[in-house]
Amino acid sequence: MTTGVIPPGQSPEPRPTGPEGPQLPEQRGEPDGLRELPEDNRTRSSVITARAAASFEPLGRSVATARSFVRDTLQGWGFGDVVDDAVVLTSELVTNAVVHAGTAADVLCLRSDHGVRIEVADRYPEREVPLQSAAVSMGSPDREGGRGLQLCAALAGRWGVEYTPTHKNVWFQLDLPERPVGTRTAGPSLPAELLPVADGRVRVAVVQVDRGGTITAWNEDAEELFGYSAEQVTGKPLTDLAAWPHTPGTGTGIAEALRLSRWEGSYGVRGAHGRVIPVYASHLRVRDTGGEPSTVCLLVREHERAVLQTPLRTPASNDAKSTSPDGADPFEVFIGSPAPDDLDGLLQRTVERARDMLDGDAAFLLLATDDETELEVRASTGLPSARQRFARVPVEAGPGRYGSARMPAVHDDLTAAPGAVPLLGGTGMRSVVTVPLKVEGRLTGSLGVAAEGAGRYSNEEALRLQFAADRIALAVESARLGELERLRRGSLSFLVEASDLLAGTLDRDQTLALMAQMTVPTLATWCAVYTIADQASEPYLSYVLHEDEELIDGIKSLLSKIAPPDPVPTPGARVWSAPGEAAHQAALRSSMRSLSLGDSDHRIGTAIGPTLATASAVGGETVVLPLVARNRVIGMLTLGKPTDEHFRQEILELAEDLSRRAALALDNARLYSERTAISQSLQRSLLPPGLPQVDGVEVDVIYRAAGEGNEVGGDFYDLFPIRDGAYGFAIGDVCGTGPEAAAVTGLARHALRLLAREGYGGPAVLERLNSAILDEGARSRFLTLLYGELWPQEDGSAHLKVVCAGHPLPLRLRQDGTVEPAAEPQPLLGVMEDLELYEQSVTLDPGDVLLCVTDGVTERREGTRMLGDDGLADVLTTCTGLTAGAVAARIMRAVERFASDAPSDDMAILAMRVPEVLTD
């Protein structure tokens, strides 16, 4: 992989596009139905400021590597807004190259001021993209291919296909969204009683961050607010301290915010005590005299945001029925200019302006879910906290419904109808006015203003608030749809990578860990995975993860003390209140014990801290999603939020999609583990439990099964006593692998022992074994077998009789280093009914070695090269004077080093050596 930076103002050399210059859309293979881009967008060019390139081999794992390369490159360039789209498109195009075209893929990323261009080239130019005369339809989502270019058309600003004599190059360009430049404004003069209230001395932390995001300056107020000294944080990335929202596809990331000319907003900073401190920040991008850019961050406590928050440029009119002066846009009159460019900012500005317009104590705004059956809290001001964010209430039916969602409503006193507005329960608010937000007659949300006193609002205030709601409804709906589109694109990228990670392992424990790590902190603050072994088993707590590792043990202890959720197969997320209730009770008991004992028991006094931390960690909404695979509940995925936080509906839908993929991956891991355990147990049963000690002969065996341990091999060996002073030995290879081969292997090994101990000689043993194999009919497999009998002699030598039925010939190594075959080839077993086999006698003198191997040794390959019988003999000549174990080890080491790839066939090595006679 190579990455380079091009000096500004210098364009890169373009890829060759043929002798006729750049190709027209028709030549690029761009479908007619997709050629709708304006001409100025087609011809606009940008100066390339950096490039990164990499090549990927035609292997399945290259797709994931290519995705990581593009993601890392674009994030390094600060192009977080287009990362998800780029990853999805690259995944499709690289898959087309390495899987479907079967060639290597070259990926080139080009950065410009306007966006990024990514090119994916394969080396199969004949595989053209057909021209189309009509608009392209996405077709069935279940199709296996053809989606790559359609995704380009759907997601990319521009794209095309170019051909050269050796390459086909598909490219697409993603433009960065326009970002408004921050603007300073001045607020009006206000009486002292109307000025915002600040607690004590206002501390403004000044933090300076260089172009790489590293802290270079940290003032005294920052030390006081967050507890770190300047020496502790200087040189560290600001992202190590900032607690930024992690919802995929929404909002601006902190890396992007630090690159804007000006940015204002809220986030958190993790203090030295480990807790997150909510702050309001104003970022200003500057450069020094040398042209080096940096960002100055001014931070105050969240409740002191008025110190830094830019005031609105234009106050809203108090007369809802009057027209805006000078033809001003009513939306800008209410919201102010410039309007926030993100949904959260727009909603927060809306509730603040609505509260001020009606002189209320609080305001809130809810947005409807896609099916309009529920309303979701998205912004509030003046309420005790933002704890109700993303809380959901029904629109029409059921207890606690939001009764006045579709029509304006005024409630003079909520104490008379406490359930009318569930959001305000327990807040002290008594009167409230609510109005709907509608677009083309469809309910999209609800806006409300509340006051602590009763009877504060009338129909006149409802009309004024409805007028304001009508002005902003379309802008809110447009921003909501834009956020939803970004979320869905981010979700698509998230699921692509999650599926790839889950498919990359068949280990159960690793699958559980991946499930948790993919959800925390992207989807939830903490998660727990329960597994169910079988239908009769209770759910078992298998894995717990929290974004703060120090809280994991506390949550695990808490969950182990309460009953697990019921394994209900109904799809979707359901709320589970038991963890929050148990944590609350535990914290209450600890607090009461601490208060009653004071400081007399230091152990209890110190134990209350972790208990309260656990209660806070699991005090928010907790949901359970079933893990269903092959029509069976195999576990539950539990997701949780900290105190008083809720999940948004889109996150729950994404979690549900992830749970389906994770359930199948977990069940596949279970099946694979069971199959591996069965195969390994069966493989062990087909090999002898141990080798007997043979007086006067050294014997050693090495056995290596190919594959991943989930298939039973066809190679086997055996050494067993026949009668006093005589031993039988065998080494064989059954055709194929799996249960059928295992059946023949078991038949052969046990038949050999039985027939040999009945007194049959070598040829008779093999002939009867041949008949038994043929009797298996269609289940029979042919078998190559070397069988022999061994008699140690009193003079120190050993006498052998061997029969080689289609097996690689045994090799004899003499003391002088010469190697020769110790038998002649004869027909293999399991093919012909009538065999005429004979045995050959071999005498091993002291120091001689007899080497027997299966064909996995001799047929070891590296490209077109094969080790073969001659190569094995050459290795054996170097083994003079070695023990039997050393001979077998040297042969195996030579075989493994012969090729770089893992062995594709089982290997068995049986070495027998007659020790040299020691003389005084």
Side-chain angles (χ1 to χ4, degrees), residues 160-319:
V161 184
E162 299 171 352
Y163 294 95
T164 70
T166 59
H167 289 75
K168 181 176 94 282
N169 180 40
V170 182
W171 61 270
F172 61 88
Q173 181 154 336
L174 300 172
D175 296 327
L176 292 177
E178 296 292 336
R179 295 189 182 278
V181 178
T183 305
R184 288 185 175 275
T185 60
S189 299
L190 297 175
E193 61 271 12
L194 298 182
L195 296 176
V197 177
D199 299 334
R201 175 188 169 188
V202 176
R203 296 187 180 274
V204 180
V206 181
V207 181
Q208 191 155 2
V209 182
D210 63 16
R211 70 160 66 219
T214 301
I215 298 173
T216 58
W218 185 269
N219 73 342
E220 293 181 358
D221 280 357
E223 295 184 12
E224 185 66 25
L225 283 175
F226 308 123
Y228 301 104
S229 65
E231 292 77 11
Q232 289 177 293
V233 297
T234 301
K236 293 185 177 180
L238 181 61
T239 53
D240 288 356
L241 304 180
W244 201 266
H246 294 287
T247 304
T250 62
T252 302
I254 187 169
E256 292 78 10
L258 292 174
R259 293 185 177 89
L260 298 180
S261 61
R262 184 169 179 82
W263 183 91
E264 284 187 20
S266 301
Y267 53 90
V269 174
R270 194 177 301 278
H273 45 59
R275 295 189 296 273
V276 174
I277 302 171
V279 298
Y280 188 83
S282 176
H283 296 174
L284 178 64
R285 187 81 159 162
V286 298
R287 61 185 175 91
D288 60 19
T289 55
E292 182 68 18
S294 62
T295 302
V296 178
C297 307
L298 306 179
L299 301 96
V300 297
R301 299 181 183 92
E302 172 66 22
H303 64 275
E304 298 171 343
R305 60 189 300 169
V307 175
L308 298 181
Q309 189 172 25
T310 301
L312 304 180
R313 174 181 291 176
T314 307
S317 173
N318 289 328
D319 186 1

Side-chain angles (χ1 to χ4, degrees), residues 675-695:
R675 179 179 175 181
T676 299
I678 293 172
S679 298
Q680 292 175 347
S681 177
L682 180 56
Q683 186 74 68
R684 288 192 297 268
S685 70
L686 299 177
L687 300 175
L691 297 178
Q693 293 291 332
V694 180
D695 294 336

Side-chain angles (χ1 to χ4, degrees), residues 30 80 89 126 164 241 296 383 537 556 583 604 634 667 771 786 803 811 901:
E30 189 174 328
L89 293 177
E126 295 84 0
T164 70
L241 304 180
V296 178
L383 296 178
S537 301
K556 186 182 299 184
I604 294 181
I634 63 171
D667 200 45
S771 298
L786 172 66
V803 181
L811 299 179
D901 294 337

Side-chain angles (χ1 to χ4, degrees), residues 602-617:
H602 179 71
R603 179 181 60 82
I604 294 181
T606 56
I608 189 174
T611 304
L612 294 178
T614 301
S616 176

Side-chain angles (χ1 to χ4, degrees), residues 516-545:
Q517 291 166 6
M518 286 185 294
T519 57
V520 176
T522 305
L523 305 182
T525 306
W526 65 271
C527 86
V529 183
Y530 290 85
T531 57
I532 303 175
D534 52 59
Q535 298 292 353
S537 301
E538 291 293 324
Y540 174 75
L541 182 62
S542 299
Y543 202 92
V544 176
L545 184 65

Side-chain angles (χ1 to χ4, degrees), residues 747 768-780 830 833:
L747 172 65
R768 284 163 173 75
L769 176 59
N770 180 64
S771 298
I773 294 174
L774 292 175
D775 289 343
E776 293 292 309
R779 297 180 300 176
S780 66
E833 293 186 1

